[in-house]
């Protein structure tokens, strides 16, 4: 007979509140799948905005508050406000609170009761109840204080300990997430026929290496017209893939157009193709296809780094302007060639100098080399889901 304790082993909960956009859902979804597929765990992902996740994972059913995937090893549950209707039992081995999203009170109370029971049973160690291990998964930041805080435990007033786990770009952090088959997929995608088939599947034009291909995922940015003007000064075709969303809305406003997915806009050598928002599982291919990738937030920023291609990061802007410190910290560890550094800073400030793209293009070989070397560096940090499981085992 399976005891409750055996059922608990190897099962993790992840809680996610979507603040806005797709980063919170994107990170927790990727983590849930990695914990299932790479670490062999059972995972329940509790998310308060199923629609945000469904944009990334179209196979999810918006009408279903509880659905099962990966042969039952991954459950997606809607985290609703009325927690009395939700059954959390049994508590898992580990709970991940994503980005300080505040675990439900009822859940914390159960953890507290479980801890008290565990303390009473401590003498019969062999079959004692093991308290759920509580981790707060933090946002990615390259700031130097992160290394000092990664892995720390903080004793709460209710007697529970909350552990802080930081993804990161340097030694002493949790690293970044990466699927086991990523490198094989990336290599296979070098094949032109595979690229063309992928483009056909998503109804996107394919272009040969004479065309500069760019993916354009960013927040609203007044610098877009200037970027397009600078592309028009190049003596080669430019094809930009612009996903539906904030930057497209800005482009439509600026140009008094109403471009939709599937439509394109052309002026001189520059073509903008509006693409539907891809499922998360198809987004890497877009990054591999392009010569330069504009990315934003956290998740696409990480994927662009793994892609090993030059990229321009539009950082998530915060009201207190703390994002500038974070951008500076990233540039400090990433150490890109000066031209790319200038472009990233100018793109984030919404104003480009007239020759910034030309300078980037002149440094193209150095930029490609740098992006590839950085990818190798990231690999050496170890993969986040593996580091996370190791951290739990070590701390327990
Ligand atoms: O959507 P974002 O702006 O998310 C942001 C950040 O995560 C930010 O740190 C956080 O505080 C804020 O949300 C609340 O950008 P991000 O993080 O890149 O997430 C986008 C996700 O969408 C990522 O998983 C990649 C994916 N994506 C697709 O799946 N298909 C697409 O076509 C595109 C363009 C992106």
């Amino acid at each position: 007979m399976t005891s409750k304790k055996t059922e608990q082993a190897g099962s993790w909960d992840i809680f996610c509140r979507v603040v806005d956009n797709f980063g919170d859902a994107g990170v927790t979804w990727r983590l849930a799948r990695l914990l299932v597929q790479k670490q062999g765990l059972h995972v329940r992902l509790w998310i308060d905005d199923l629609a945000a996740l469904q944009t990334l994972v179209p196979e999810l059913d918006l009408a279903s508050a509880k659905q099962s995937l990966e042969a039952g090893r991954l459950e997606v549950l809607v985290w609703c406000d009325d927690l009395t209707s939700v059954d959390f039992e049994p508590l898992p081995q580990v709970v991940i609170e994503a980005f300080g999203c505040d675990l439900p009170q009822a859940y914390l109370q159960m953890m507290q009761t479980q801890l008290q029971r565990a303390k009473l049973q401590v003498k019969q160690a062999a079959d004692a109840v093991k308290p759920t291990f509580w981790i707060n998964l933090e946002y990615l930041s390259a700031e130097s204080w992160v290394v000092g805080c990664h892995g720390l435990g903080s004793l709460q007033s209710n007697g529970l300990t909350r552990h802080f786990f930081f993804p990161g770009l340097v030694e002493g952090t949790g690293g970044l997430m990466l699927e086991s088959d990523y490198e094989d997929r990336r290599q296979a995608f070098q094949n032109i026929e595979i690229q063309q088939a992928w483009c056909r599947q998503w109804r996107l034009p394919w272009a040969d290496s004479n065309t500069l291909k760019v993916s354009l995922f960013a927040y609203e940015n007044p610098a877009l017209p200037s970027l397009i003007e600078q592309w028009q000064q190049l003596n080669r075709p430019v094809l930009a893939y612009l996903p539906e969303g904030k930057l497209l809305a800005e482009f439509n406003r600026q140009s008094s157009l109403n471009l939709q997915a599937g439509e394109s806009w052309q002026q001189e050598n520059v073509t903008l193709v509006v693409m539907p928002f891809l499922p998360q599982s198809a987004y890497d291919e877009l990054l591999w296809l392009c010569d330069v990738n504009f990315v934003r937030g956290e998740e696409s920023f990480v994927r662009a780094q793994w892609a090993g291609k030059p990229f321009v990061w539009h950082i998530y802007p915060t009201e207190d302007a703390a994002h500038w410190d974070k951008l500076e910290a990233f540039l400090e560890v990433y150490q890109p060639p000066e031209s790319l550094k200038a472009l990233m800073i100018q793109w984030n400030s919404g104003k480009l100098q007239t020759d910034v793209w030309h300078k980037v293009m002149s440094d193209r070989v150095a930029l490609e080399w740098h992006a590839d070397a950085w990818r190798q560096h990231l690999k050496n940090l170890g993969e986040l889901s593996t580091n996370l499981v190791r951290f739990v085992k070590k701390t327990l």
Side-chain angles (χ1 to χ4, degrees):
M1 198 180 95
T2 322
S3 71
K4 194 171 228 180
K5 189 168 156 260
T6 325
E7 279 168 19
Q8 284 177 354
S11 85
W12 290 30
D13 275 347
I14 301 175
F15 281 87
C16 172
R17 265 188 223 279
V18 175
V19 179
D20 60 5
N21 303 325
F22 302 105
D24 309 288
V27 168
T28 49
W29 171 250
R30 194 178 298 284
L31 179 61
R33 292 191 70 221
L34 276 168
L35 291 173
V36 169
Q37 294 177 347
K38 193 163 178 169
Q39 309 302 334
L41 299 167
H42 283 65
V43 175
R44 292 186 298 196
L45 172 59
W46 304 82
I47 186 158
D48 70 340
D49 183 351
L50 191 58
L53 184 58
Q54 203 252 358
T55 306
L56 304 173
V57 190
E59 61 266 34
L60 287 177
D61 175 6
L62 274 185
S64 175
K66 180 174 177 176
Q67 42 205 311
S68 175
L69 300 102
E70 304 279 342
R73 293 193 301 137
L74 173 54
E75 273 184 289
V76 176
L77 299 106
V78 174
W79 175 0
C80 54
D81 285 335
D82 177 18
L83 295 174
T84 48
S85 64
V86 179
D87 180 13
F88 292 119
E89 284 282 10
L91 279 180
Q93 187 189 27
V94 177
V95 59
I96 296 181
E97 175 188 357
F99 314 125
C101 66
D102 290 335
L103 295 180
Q105 273 309 316
Y107 194 92
L108 285 171
Q109 266 154 23
M110 283 170 59
M111 281 169 65
Q112 211 176 337
T113 309
Q114 183 202 46
L115 179 69
Q116 281 152 3
R117 270 178 37 220
K119 279 184 179 159
L120 290 173
Q121 290 178 359
V122 85
K123 296 247 156 53
Q124 313 142 25
D127 58 349
V129 172
K130 291 224 170 50
T132 297
F133 190 84
W134 179 11
I135 296 173
N136 185 44
L137 176 70
E138 290 286 343
Y139 283 114
L140 173 63
S141 170
E143 289 163 297
S144 56
W145 56 265
V146 164
V147 174
C149 296
H150 174 60
L152 291 185
S154 161
L155 185 62
Q156 309 291 295
S157 56
N158 58 9
L160 298 167
T161 302
R162 189 172 177 228
H163 300 86
F164 293 89
F165 192 92
F166 285 80
L169 306 170
V170 295
E171 283 295 337
T173 65
L176 300 178
M177 292 188 266
L178 191 68
E179 293 74 17
S180 305
D181 62 353
Y182 180 86
E183 202 43 44
D184 289 346
R185 283 175 48 225
R186 197 177 74 89
Q187 291 295 341
F189 199 75
Q190 310 294 317
N191 181 311
I192 284 175
E193 283 169 18
I194 294 186
Q195 292 178 14
Q196 289 171 332
W198 183 87
C199 286
R200 272 196 304 277
Q201 181 183 356
W202 299 107
R203 294 169 200 257
L204 296 173
W206 178 86
D208 64 20
S209 56
N210 184 40
T211 298
L212 178 74
K213 294 181 283 298
V214 182
S215 74
L216 257 185
F217 184 42
Y219 304 112
E220 294 88 346
N221 196 323
L224 183 59
S226 162
L227 182 65
I228 293 172
E229 265 169 41
Q230 296 194 33
W231 288 343
Q232 285 170 340
Q233 285 153 21
L234 302 175
N235 55 0
R236 62 189 291 206
V238 178
L239 175 58
Y241 300 96
L242 174 61
E244 284 177 305
K246 291 178 185 277
L247 192 59
L248 171 64
E250 169 102 354
F251 177 78
N252 277 337
R253 244 191 329 271
Q254 282 166 356
S255 54
S256 305
L257 292 168
N258 185 23
L259 289 180
Q260 311 282 331
E263 296 178 342
S264 60
W265 170 94
Q266 190 181 359
Q267 212 165 67
E268 299 170 35
N269 59 329
V270 177
T271 307
L272 285 190
V273 173
V274 180
M275 45 172 255
F277 201 86
L278 300 170
Q280 193 190 55
S281 56
Y283 181 60
D284 286 326
E285 279 78 356
L286 178 71
L287 301 175
W288 299 331
L289 185 72
C290 291
D291 303 299
V292 181
N293 293 302
F294 283 70
V295 288
R296 72 183 205 193
E298 172 159 337
E299 237 285 308
S300 55
F301 168 54
V302 168
R303 300 315 279 185
Q305 294 177 58
W306 284 128
K309 298 280 186 83
F311 67 89
V312 183
W313 181 31
H314 199 178
I315 190 168
Y316 182 75
T318 51
E319 271 173 23
D320 58 1
H323 59 285
W324 283 109
D325 292 339
K326 290 189 197 305
L327 178 63
E328 203 176 294
F330 167 67
L331 292 171
E332 191 57 37
V333 296
Y334 187 57
Q335 292 283 313
E338 278 305 314
S339 55
L340 184 64
K341 183 175 171 181
L343 174 58
M344 273 205 221
I345 293 172
Q346 291 171 31
W347 182 244
N348 278 281
S349 65
K351 199 165 177 347
L352 300 187
Q353 282 176 6
T354 47
D355 57 349
V356 65
W357 190 265
H358 174 74
K359 288 183 175 159
V360 165
M361 283 294 104
S362 319
D363 278 348
R364 200 161 153 193
V365 175
L367 291 170
E368 281 164 4
W369 182 88
H370 182 268
D372 198 52
W374 180 255
R375 193 166 60 86
Q376 296 302 333
H377 156 78
L378 294 179
K379 273 192 190 163
N380 296 337
L381 303 178
E383 191 277 322
L384 187 143
S385 73
T386 307
N387 290 340
L388 191 56
V389 168
R390 225 176 258 152
F391 169 69
V392 171
K393 283 192 184 140
K394 198 177 105 196
T395 316
L396 280 174

